[in-house]
Amino acid sequence: MRVNDDKQKNDYSNVWVIAEVLSGKIQPVTHELAGTARMLADKRGSEVWIVLLGNNVSEQAGTLFAYGADKVLVADDGSMANFNDEIETRVLVRMIDKYKPEIVICGATTRGRALIPRVAVVTDSGLTADCTELDIDPENGDLLQTRPAFGGNIMATIRCSDHRPQMSTVRPRVMKAPDPDPGRTGEIITENVTVSDKIDIKRILEVFHSSEAAVNLADAQIIIAGGRAMKGPEGFDILRAFAARVGGAVGASRAAVDAGWIPYAHQVGQTGQTVQTKVYIACGISGQIQHLVGMQSCDLIIAIDKNPDTPMMQMADIAVTGDLFEIVPALTAAIPKL
Amino acid sequence: MKIVVCIKQVPATNDAKIDPETKRIIREGLKAILNPFDTYAVEEAVQLRERFGGEVIVLSMGPEKAALSIREAVSVGADRGVLLSDRAFGGSDTWATSYALANAIRKIGDVDLVICGKQAVDGDTAQVGPGIAAHLDWKQATYVMAVEDASDDSIVVKRMHEDGYDICELKLPAVVTVVKDINTPRIPTLRGRLASEKIEVPVWKPADIGADLSKIGLDGSPTRVVRTAPPPPRNTVTKKISGTSAECADALIKELRLRSIL
Ligand SMILES: Cc1cc2nc3c(=O)[nH]c(=O)nc-3n(C[C@H](O)[C@H](O)[C@H](O)COP(=O)(O)OP(=O)(O)OC[C@H]3O[C@@H](n4cnc5c(N)ncnc54)[C@H](O)[C@@H]3O)c2cc1C
Ligand SMILES: Nc1ncnc2c1ncn2[C@@H]1O[C@H](COP(=O)(O)O)[C@@H](O)[C@H]1O
């Protein structure tokens, strides 16, 4: 909604988080965003509400209070067992019209990035993608949203002064989850999914959940990535062994993906994923610009390469000159088992 | 099948250099290219036309020179293109951009399918595709990695998720956004190049698409960039490690411990 003055703005209150549910389970990004929402709501003297959409998710609603929620708004229906953008949009738009949140935050996941832009258009709200920092103007509730643009080369701060609610997506692992406080409690509100929500939607014919958790680049704290130097699909085994030891994920350059050694879901870079992890270890990746734009915002970049003069070795925080086929296994062996 | 592909012209990172001080890309003087993800969108549309017949129309909003990207799409098989270009469109955020594109799609008329790239590499938002679907009130599928089947009134697509994929059927009209996995874009043929030089690229203004001026450009954009700043600089010294593999591994472990990562 367009709002013309502070009085109209004041019709909207509270900070909402859209819970991320994957394979029936609430994902950690939900807790991370709850922590941020708590900080914003405290500055504004308002409440944190978490919206939980899915199938058989109600039992998990109670777990969210420990992370800072005051209320949990649940819509539990078989029609949302798999991701159906159209149903979730209708349900969420109705909740927003009814309860008028000031702010809505959602994970910048494949689901969040499909759902929220649709909701933002229908509710006539401003939406900022992939925020790395959120703050609030305590006077009028304007959200100050900071995000990287152009492959992390500039940071833009965005404000949305004359629309409510204000919406943002935030990548997993960017915000820190609060320590859970098991003593906190709150209220659970259940909303219905109506017959008309389910009219004329898409049919989901088949669902496949990968058993390889190591693909989940967005959720990882440590990514170890390989390039053309891996020589073949087996080369990636040493990276997988390392990733398994530290609980990380495996990334790849386009050269390795194009060679068919590893699926596209692992590709980092301009035409793959942009990642922002604590640690990124590039093994035999020369660091062409299209790769760098996808990972240069990681906190600590480590490069392992035979050639000390590659762009990656130049830009890394730590550059190790040597043969990755020897160094990576040695590294894995030296790390105590978790 | 009448397909509209939304394409955006973006600054090229291909020939960018890294600033040795800040270790960030030097942005100045970059030339403009077709958004890489959109090349897959164009290719998928052309393949669908080859299989099912119909027409592929590329649509772009941007400055006059964005017509070059439209010609590029024609050189690889699109039939024609339309450019939305006017000062009044300038400063549009994703809400206003998707509003303008949706209006243009309505004006093109009888469109069955809209294909967008997953995201544009300059803004990285991935919001315009779903935004168009919302403005048109059409169904959508994002992160599409394969089109499994299509008919006159529906399309079956494979969507990528964090934990796997799913296959779903959408009734047309619909909007899909595609990832790189979906195909390998062809290179232009001589005939395609010649065709792309010959076509006229009509330029549409807000009035041509019946756009409400309060919904486009800066005025129509709920979000405002209020400040831009360089990112916090990366450290400028690279810690160099070399030696035998065992020495390298030990030194690295020490560094990781120092930073409380292990
Ligand atoms: C439009 C466009 C989009 C693109 N998008 C992407 C993208 O999203 N992601 C991406 O990654 N690329 C992308 N690219 C491709 C990119 O330009 C590079 O071609 C690619 O990143 C190179 O991959 P690489 O570093 O693995 O291979 P190379 O450049 O061949 O580098 C291999 C490195 O391995 C080292 N090496 C070899 N053997 C060993 C060993 N035993 N031990 C240690 N080191 C060793 C070599 O010294 C070298 O530095 C894109 C290109 C274009 C044109
Ligand atoms: N100005 C534009 N003109 C045409 N298509 C666009 C424009 N901006 C975005 N798109 C389309 O929307 C997709 C996602 O862009 P974005 O939401 O900006 O990341 C792009 O890959 C294009 O297909």
Side-chain angles (χ1 to χ4, degrees), chain A residues 151 217 252-255 257-258 263-275 288-295, chain B residues 10 13-14 33-41 117-122 124 143-144 160 178-183 185:
Chain A
L217 296 178
S253 76
R254 174 167 161 178
V257 172
D258 283 356
Y264 168 65
H266 294 265
Q267 185 180 317
V268 172
Q270 193 187 78
T271 43
Q273 294 199 58
T274 309
V275 298
Q288 299 310 305
I289 205 86
Q290 296 89 355
H291 191 83
L292 297 184
V293 294
M295 42 64 70
Chain B
V10 296
T13 48
N14 292 43
I33 54 160
L34 173 56
N35 177 35
F37 283 104
D38 300 350
T39 61
Y40 305 99
K118 178 186 90 166
Q119 65 194 52
V121 297
D122 54 350
D124 258 350
Y143 292 82
V144 168
M160 187 171 111
V178 301
V179 297
K180 184 202 133 193
D181 226 12
I182 195 163
N183 57 43

Side-chain angles (χ1 to χ4, degrees), chain B residues 5-9 35 37-38 41 59-62 94 97 101 115-129 132 177:
Chain B
V5 185
C6 295
I7 63 171
K8 185 176 188 187
Q9 197 176 54
N35 177 35
F37 283 104
D38 300 350
L59 171 64
S60 189
M61 181 171 107
T94 58
T97 301
L101 294 172
I115 308 184
C116 291
K118 178 186 90 166
Q119 65 194 52
V121 297
D122 54 350
D124 258 350
T125 79
Q127 288 171 185
V128 169
I132 294 170
T177 74

Side-chain angles (χ1 to χ4, degrees), chain A residues 51-69:
Chain A
V51 179
L52 184 56
L53 307 176
N55 181 37
N56 292 330
V57 288
S58 313
E59 306 99 77
Q60 296 170 62
T63 64
L64 292 169
F65 299 120
Y67 295 93

Side-chain angles (χ1 to χ4, degrees), chain A residues 227-229 253-255 267-272 284-288 290-291 304-307 310 322-325, chain B residues 14 36:
Chain A
R228 203 191 310 273
S253 76
R254 174 167 161 178
Q267 185 180 317
V268 172
Q270 193 187 78
T271 43
I285 295 179
S286 61
Q288 299 310 305
Q290 296 89 355
H291 191 83
I304 305 175
D305 205 297
K306 280 205 261 203
N307 176 355
T310 66
D323 186 346
L324 71 94
F325 288 102
Chain B
N14 292 43

Side-chain angles (χ1 to χ4, degrees), chain A residues 58 72-76 95 98-99 187-193:
Chain A
S58 313
V72 179
L73 203 50
V74 187
D76 196 326
M95 289 172 167
K98 183 168 169 188
Y99 296 106
E187 185 189 345
I188 296 175
I189 305 172
T190 305
E191 295 285 321
N192 292 326
V193 177

